[in-house]
Amino acid sequence: MAGQIVLKRKIAAIFAADIAGYSRLVAEDEEETLRRLAAYREVVDDFIARAGGRIFNTAGDAVLAEFPSAVEAVRCAIDIQESLRTRNMAYPPSRQMSYRIGITIGDVVERDGDLLGDGVNIAARLEGLADVGGICISRAVHEQVANKLSVQFADMGAREVKNIPTPVHAYRVAMRREDGTYAPLQDKKASRGGTLRLIWRIAAAVIALGAVGVGTALYLDYRDPHPRQRDAAKAAAEALARLSATPASPSSSPSPAPTASSVVVQPAAAPQPQQSTPLSSAVAAEKFAPEAVPFVSERTRIALARDYVPAPDHKAFATTINGVSAYVSGQASDEAAKSAALDQCQQRAESSNGPRKCELYAVGDNVVYVHSKPPLPPQPWVRHDPMTERAFSAAEMPLVRDTGRARLEANYGAARRTKAIALGPGGQFFYSVGGDLVDDVVRRNLEACGAQAGTACIIVALDDAFVVPVPAVMKATGFFRAASHQAIAAESREEVARRLEAATSGWNAVAVGTAGRPGFGLNGDREETAIGGALADCSTRDQDCRVIAIGPFTVEEN
């Protein structure tokens, strides 16, 4: 068939890792967490490269890599954990940043450098079974490495994991503790069983109160941070759903594919905490509202309101953060609807630019999306200012690495409108081209970028112009937040935030001296004017002044 996509299959050792408790770390101190994540990712990337591995996907704090050898994959994982354990010793336990790592050998499909398939999914599930700072491997990996590496393993037995039809036999790798000894290798079946018993008691209590069952489907990809807890939550919810399930006549309704091309790009330090739905929401699900669905176009939202909402059960809707989506209705069961929606969505995703993993967003009239809503900045999302707007140049894109700038140069600059770039504080960015409505394009880019970063992004470019002040004299290093910036004296932070909020046009700069007293250069017609004004103002209050912020960015000497 003309235009048919050719997919390459192969066997590979798949390595999946992400940071435990990353959402909490970001919430407590975003800037410090992002800086440390960047440093830790350099360590991880270096070890993977030296071991002959290849990173094929990143999603915020998560890393997916392939290795030609299971031995090298496990040896690399051990080296990473040992190195980061040493680094963590400089921080209190509440601020330590530790990875969980899962490794398997499996059959995968390669498309445009990305890998898909059960091998990737199983590695992610094993990562969820690993201890904080630990490694969990499949039986296939254990058979390859048991006699080749001088480490100990604990047999965890066969484990049921989400969306894998057969149990996965897992092993835990012994890791050294801070005192140099090895942690005891104890199984966690007892604690997991206790959690399940607690969930069933909760479910029984809800049934006794006469609650109406809610059918909930939790479809997890490699970003799922808590698979064990959600396994239990889903089991309880499905038990409730079986009490109230009613048959429906089968019919189907297709979902329109998005009209714009969109791409996610993450640098090595692209923070993205994805939060799981708490147990309580598995019992009291959020009602589906088309106008609240993230990532998709306004056209898709209208189609959902017109076709999906009134459609008969059993029905389901799936989407990616790119906005590729599909829905079905009138299926034989909820399970059939979930499977059909995911299959249709994934087929569309694999044939689009920048394929992404599809996830269930709704089953029936209930939202089952397992991640929190993407964070968004306050409105207005775009503020046009002739004094600061200038022509877009990929080479001047702030915070982004050279590889990302090269991609923007090739794919964004000459692309047709409407187009926009959303940027996160760690340098991750999301752009789309060929959209319809400006407001729609802006919203979707901010949602997708926010989902990847785990914090609000900003629109830095719209069509062919930078729409925020992008420093050229100085180098942008992150997002500026006066309320938490350590260089500013605590008693002055509120004043800095207030004065910047009032300065709504032109170039704005902030300087501080050794005592943290701020100086301001506001409403300047050029970057140099704002810098000079901030330094002059600061010198009247403090000593050894330096500029720390220009526009929305923290800065340093170029």
Side-chain angles (χ1 to χ4, degrees), residues 19-37 60-61 94-97 270-275 375 425 428 450 452-456 481 484:
I19 292 172
Y22 189 81
S23 300
R24 176 185 57 80
L25 292 169
V26 170
E28 290 175 353
D29 192 335
E30 182 183 70
E31 291 188 2
E32 187 263 353
T33 300
L34 297 182
R35 286 194 297 269
R36 286 180 57 202
L37 177 62
D61 58 300
S94 64
R95 293 301 302 165
Q96 292 185 0
M97 185 180 292
Q272 180 208 357
Q274 295 278 3
Q275 299 177 1
Q428 68 280 10
Q452 293 296 302
T455 189
R481 292 180 172 85
S484 60

Side-chain angles (χ1 to χ4, degrees), residues 370-394:
V370 298
H371 309 305
S372 58
K373 291 292 178 66
L376 294 172
Q379 300 246 31
W381 291 333
V382 176
R383 181 179 289 161
H384 293 284
D385 183 354
M387 282 202 291
T388 58
E389 283 191 24
R390 57 190 174 92
F392 171 78
S393 169

Side-chain angles (χ1 to χ4, degrees), residues 60-86:
D61 58 300
V63 179
L64 288 169
E66 64 167 328
F67 292 80
S69 160
V71 173
E72 292 303 326
V74 175
R75 183 180 286 123
C76 175
I78 293 171
D79 289 343
I80 288 171
Q81 298 292 40
E82 291 286 353
S83 177
L84 297 186
R85 179 183 63 82
T86 302

Side-chain angles (χ1 to χ4, degrees), residues 137 141 247 364 501 525:
I137 63 175
V141 173
E501 185 178 359
D525 60 344

Side-chain angles (χ1 to χ4, degrees), residues 203 207 211-217 234-246 282 314 334-335 338 363 366:
I207 294 170
V212 178
V214 179
T216 303
K234 180 174 181 291
E238 288 180 342
L240 294 177
R242 284 196 293 270
L243 296 178
S244 58
T246 55
H314 299 275
D334 279 353
E335 289 299 322
K338 289 186 286 185
V363 176
N366 296 318

Side-chain angles (χ1 to χ4, degrees), residues 112-126:
D112 294 337
D114 200 1
L115 299 183
L116 307 169
D118 281 350
V120 178
N121 294 336
I122 291 173
R125 300 301 180 264
L126 291 167

Side-chain angles (χ1 to χ4, degrees), residues 105 124 246 302 368 381 414 436 456:
I105 299 174
T246 55
I302 292 170
V368 297
W381 291 333
D436 294 328

Side-chain angles (χ1 to χ4, degrees), residues 297-367:
S297 68
E298 198 63 32
R299 183 179 300 177
T300 300
R301 285 178 165 183
I302 292 170
L304 288 168
R306 182 190 65 225
D307 300 330
Y308 182 84
V309 171
D313 280 340
H314 299 275
K315 58 186 178 182
F317 168 65
T319 187
T320 70
I321 66 168
N322 306 61
V324 177
S325 62
Y327 61 83
V328 297
S329 64
Q331 302 297 300
S333 65
D334 279 353
E335 289 299 322
K338 289 186 286 185
S339 178
L342 286 168
D343 287 346
Q344 288 188 25
C345 178
Q346 199 62 50
Q347 288 175 15
R348 291 173 177 170
E350 290 173 359
S351 63
S352 69
N353 272 336
R356 281 289 185 187
K357 189 77 174 180
C358 285
E359 297 183 77
L360 283 172
Y361 183 85
V363 176
D365 295 321
N366 296 318
V367 174

